[in-house]
Amino acid sequence: MLRHPGNTNLHLYRQPTYRGLSLMVGKGPFVEEYLFRLLRVIELALAQYPRVMAFRVDLNLPKDIDLSNYADTNKVISRFIESFGSKIEHHRSQLREQKKDTRSCRVRYAWAREVGMKGRPHYHLVFLLNHDAYHRPGRLQSTRRNLVARLQEAWASALRLSVDQVGGLVNITDDATYRIYRDVPDGKMDELPELFLRSSYLCKGATKSYGDNHHGFGSSRG
């Protein structure tokens, strides 16, 4: 199997499907190790929760603000995920204390770091949450403190900026929310194939940068 020219520890994958699931062929070739980890994250989420809500998110860096050097490293995505996870756990703790909802919600995810034509990095992510705890990410225009608001707060925290300064930098792509089931109920459409197809974009071999402690892909482990 052909090794990735930018990282010889990785292998390029050129087939139209992976373990029976379709890929975004026009974006290939893909990194086999990334496809394995993406599918593993999905499997672990379904092993813990019978119903999972998954959604895609894109993160951009501001163009007109001078950021600290660490914003150009993987530290920024680690801080973002840690902050978002903490906000979800805090929300679940509040609901338990108020005896409104005792359901747990572990945050599982996969992310890809890409570098654009002008050398600016940006991130693509997929999050997987307990569907019985969160049904949808919400809308940016909503006055409620929904998941989108928490994502914006987490990105602001990761960049050490105010929430106002990250306006427009957190994007939930159109039709990017999927509901998948451990056992698909009668009359329900299995959205796992579409989720994996859409998320395979994160696993493409192109536009990723390696070296200087950069990673092109990351995911939750447990």
Side-chain angles (χ1 to χ4, degrees):
M1 186 175 293
L2 186 65
R3 294 183 182 273
H4 193 297
N7 185 337
T8 56
N9 292 318
L10 303 175
H11 299 84
L12 295 178
Y13 186 89
R14 298 181 181 275
Q15 301 302 313
T17 63
Y18 181 77
R19 299 194 179 184
L21 295 166
S22 296
L23 305 175
M24 296 181 73
V25 177
K27 300 298 182 180
F30 301 90
V31 176
E32 184 176 22
E33 289 80 359
Y34 297 169
L35 292 170
F36 174 84
R37 289 172 64 181
L38 172 63
L39 184 57
R40 182 60 177 159
V41 168
I42 297 172
E43 291 173 341
L44 287 171
L46 285 173
Q48 183 171 9
Y49 302 118
R51 304 195 301 167
V52 172
M53 188 271 289
F55 62 97
R56 281 269 290 105
V57 184
D58 297 327
L59 300 175
N60 295 288
L61 299 176
K63 297 179 180 179
D64 54 354
I65 299 176
D66 186 22
L67 299 173
S68 302
N69 290 336
Y70 89 96
D72 192 39
T73 71
N74 289 136
K75 290 181 181 179
V76 70
I77 195 67
S78 296
R79 284 174 56 93
F80 166 73
I81 291 170
E82 180 180 356
S83 178
F84 181 63
S86 295
K87 293 178 187 302
I88 293 298
E89 180 53 38
H90 178 65
H91 184 223
R92 304 317 300 171
S93 296
Q94 285 182 315
L95 293 175
R96 284 192 293 271
E97 290 174 1
Q98 297 166 9
K99 298 183 179 179
K100 292 182 177 180
D101 192 341
T102 61
R103 288 169 287 198
S104 67
C105 184
R106 178 166 184 169
V107 176
R108 288 187 170 86
Y109 59 85
W111 59 261
R113 179 183 186 271
E114 297 188 349
V115 179
M117 295 180 62
K118 296 183 179 180
R120 292 183 63 81
H122 58 275
Y123 294 88
H124 303 288
L125 303 95
V126 58
F127 281 108
L128 298 101
L129 306 178
N130 180 2
H131 180 273
D132 291 321
Y134 297 100
H135 303 295
R136 60 185 63 85
R139 297 181 179 273
L140 284 169
Q141 298 82 5
S142 175
T143 57
R144 300 179 61 185
R145 191 164 178 268
N146 53 23
L147 290 177
V148 176
R150 292 182 174 90
L151 290 166
Q152 287 184 308
E153 293 167 2
W155 192 225
S157 175
L159 295 174
R160 298 172 180 166
L161 299 174
S162 69
V163 174
D164 291 340
Q165 289 176 299
V166 301
L169 302 181
V170 178
N171 299 298
I172 305 285
T173 52
D174 294 338
D175 302 320
T177 301
Y178 304 91
R179 291 162 184 85
I180 56 178
Y181 304 85
R182 186 185 303 161
D183 299 302
V184 182
D186 291 340
K188 290 286 187 180
M189 181 177 178
D190 184 6
E191 297 185 347
L192 172 58
E194 184 62 25
L195 168 63
F196 196 80
L197 174 69
R198 189 78 173 267
S199 300
S200 69
Y201 181 90
L202 278 64
C203 304
K204 64 189 179 78
T207 69
K208 292 181 171 63
S209 176
Y210 300 96
D212 297 326
N213 293 319
H214 289 155
H215 297 282
F217 183 93
S219 65
S220 51
R221 293 290 184 176

